[in-house]
Amino acid sequence: MYSETASIEKLLVSLIKMVGKNNEKIDELTKRVRQLETASQEKQINRVYSFIAEPPQANSSRKEYARR
């Protein structure tokens, strides 16, 4: 009986530790996602817009114009 109770207690302790570690990982992932979302929003706010195709520079070929 004692060994069964001790085994169940050890099992519960290990499960609690596993759940705790998983919660820490989830918290870290959640924090990282929030950081990435904030960085993305800041980048969109500070974004500088430009034309997709700018006129070709003097002495440039049409091929260079297409690469821009």
Side-chain angles (χ1 to χ4, degrees):
M1 176 90 175
Y2 172 76
S3 63
E4 187 176 316
T5 304
S7 296
I8 292 174
E9 186 176 325
K10 287 180 183 180
L11 178 62
L12 284 173
V13 168
S14 67
L15 287 173
I16 290 168
K17 286 180 183 179
M18 281 193 264
V19 168
K21 288 179 183 179
N22 284 334
N23 284 342
E24 287 176 13
K25 290 178 184 178
I26 290 171
D27 289 343
E28 286 296 318
L29 287 173
T30 302
K31 186 165 73 171
R32 184 65 178 149
V33 167
R34 285 187 191 133
Q35 289 173 344
L36 291 171
E37 287 173 342
T38 302
S40 175
Q41 289 170 353
E42 288 175 0
K43 188 169 184 165
Q44 288 177 0
I45 291 170
N46 297 325
R47 180 174 285 175
V48 176
Y49 293 94
S50 62
F51 294 104
I52 293 173
E54 295 179 4
Q57 302 286 329
N59 298 327
S60 66
S61 68
R62 181 153 175 80
K63 193 174 192 178
E64 283 185 36
Y65 178 73
R67 278 190 285 182
R68 287 180 175 243

